[in-house]
Amino acid sequence: MSLVTLLPFIVLIGAMFLMTRSAKKKQQQAASMRNDMQPGSGVRTIGGMYATVKEVNEDTVLLDAAPGVELLFAKNAIGAVLTDDEYNRIVHGIEHDLKSDSDVVPDDASSLTDTETDEPADEAAAASDEKSVDLGKKDTAEEPADDAPAKADVETEAEAVEAKPDDEPKKTDGDSGAK
């Protein structure tokens, strides 16, 4: 056999070796992380629960989830051991690394708008009242383009009901001739 026919097999075996080696490294790192757990450290389980380690045994870990709530977990169920700052930030909402002199993003945009205008607020409100926008649904064919009053500005309810076409479908008993 020639080297050209063996080359794809060699590449495939090399790729498999590299993938299994990286997976073994991750497993070893996770095992060492779980073995290095100390009572008092914050952890996150693989289910997403945050708790404090109370006691570490050979295969199990006793976690304090809340005051008076102790849970027994397998060591393999610990997803991550957190640093004290990270645990306090997530669980208690305490931020230790905030800089007091840094820019703070406001909760609303009211502080970003310019409150000073050329005209006082009363004049601005009066000007906005003059140009009121009617958002009601109107038939444009009935109203003229200019502001002159139409011939019938006000309709009574009876006239509106009479002018409205009957758009509802007729109900039948199901014996229609179409089959």
Side-chain angles (χ1 to χ4, degrees), residues 4 33 42 49 70-71 76 104-105 109 137 153 167 172 179:
V4 176
M33 178 239 354
M49 184 182 69
E70 295 177 350
L71 305 168
N76 291 339
V104 177
V105 178
K137 196 173 193 183
D153 284 336
D167 292 336
T172 61
K179 287 191 179 182

Side-chain angles (χ1 to χ4, degrees), residues 12-143:
L12 184 63
I13 291 170
M16 288 174 52
F17 173 74
L18 290 175
M19 284 190 281
T20 57
R21 194 177 97 180
S22 66
K24 282 184 181 180
K25 270 187 171 180
K26 286 181 182 180
Q27 286 177 352
Q28 288 175 350
Q29 286 176 347
S32 67
M33 178 239 354
R34 289 182 185 118
N35 289 332
D36 293 342
M37 274 189 294
Q38 300 288 331
S41 61
V43 295
R44 182 184 69 235
T45 65
I46 58 174
M49 184 182 69
Y50 293 92
T52 305
V53 176
K54 189 167 186 176
E55 183 180 312
V56 179
N57 298 323
E58 188 175 327
D59 292 330
T60 61
V61 178
L62 186 65
L63 299 178
D64 187 22
V69 180
E70 295 177 350
L71 305 168
L72 186 64
F73 275 83
K75 269 190 177 180
N76 291 339
I78 304 300
V81 177
L82 308 172
T83 62
D84 290 337
D85 289 339
E86 186 177 9
Y87 181 77
N88 288 331
R89 180 182 59 83
I90 293 170
V91 175
H92 303 296
I94 299 170
E95 297 281 343
H96 290 288
D97 56 347
L98 288 179
K99 297 177 184 174
S100 61
D101 60 337
S102 66
D103 292 335
V104 177
V105 178
D107 289 338
D108 59 356
S110 63
S111 64
L112 300 175
T113 58
D114 187 23
T115 57
E116 297 177 20
T117 58
D118 294 345
E119 54 188 58
D122 294 335
E123 292 177 16
S128 67
D129 287 340
E130 291 173 5
K131 296 181 180 181
S132 63
V133 177
D134 186 17
L135 299 177
K137 196 173 193 183
K138 293 183 179 178
D139 193 12
T140 57
E142 292 180 9
E143 290 188 17

Side-chain angles (χ1 to χ4, degrees), residues 137 142 152-167:
K137 196 173 193 183
E142 292 180 9
D153 284 336
V154 179
E155 288 184 355
T156 63
E157 282 188 37
E159 291 173 345
V161 170
E162 290 175 4
K164 181 181 174 187
D166 191 13
D167 292 336

